Amino acid sequence: MSNLKDLQQLAEKRRSIYALSNELPVSNDEIIKLVEHAVLHTPSSFNSQSTRIVVLFGDDHNKLWQITEDTLRDMVDNEEQFAATKQKMDGFKAGAGTIMFFEDHSVVRDMQAAAPLYADKFPIWAHQTNAMHQYAIWTALASINVGASLQHYNPIIDKKVAEEWNIDEHWELNAQMVFGAIKQPAGDKAFKPVEDRMQVFGK
């Protein structure tokens, strides 16, 4: 029972943390091992294992958010309007690293060919698999007191990201998870009534 409580407490602890620093409470190697464990043990439909992950530290982490900032700046004419975006990018750069989540479309296509009856479902299942990796890693980071937030600047940065880190052409960027030491915890969270979100039959 205590293990269940531990798991539930971790689920509650996992929050979007935006006030981050690069002074991690653990080593980079521990972060890498944590991500490796999630890659190996997170389930996927038909055991397709289509999720791909790139972990960025240091200068590479900063480079990602500079790319994002430059891309967004080109899309905004008014410098005054861009100030809030610049502040957000600086907040991401203040973190210790970023985990980029991709899906390998070549794997999805192979699964579609192998099981044509479910061909239209494999892209959906692939996104679900990707989301499970995101949640598993996010919760694991929370367990070691590393804060994180999930960002979605794809597809506007996809091409530059692929060029900068020589990403396989079949990999599609789905999300970017910024992580670092927690400078300020998340605030209170509002919950919609569980009765509106869940039904039980046959009790």
Side-chain angles (χ1 to χ4, degrees), residues 76-96:
V76 178
D77 295 330
N78 190 316
E79 189 66 28
E80 189 173 321
Q81 291 179 345
F82 187 74
T85 298
K86 175 69 165 65
Q87 185 177 13
K88 185 181 290 187
M89 295 301 112
D90 288 344
F92 296 153
K93 291 175 188 176

Side-chain angles (χ1 to χ4, degrees), residues 15-18 184-190:
R15 298 288 307 280
S16 293
I17 308 294
Y18 298 102
Q184 182 177 331
D188 293 336
K189 183 176 181 179

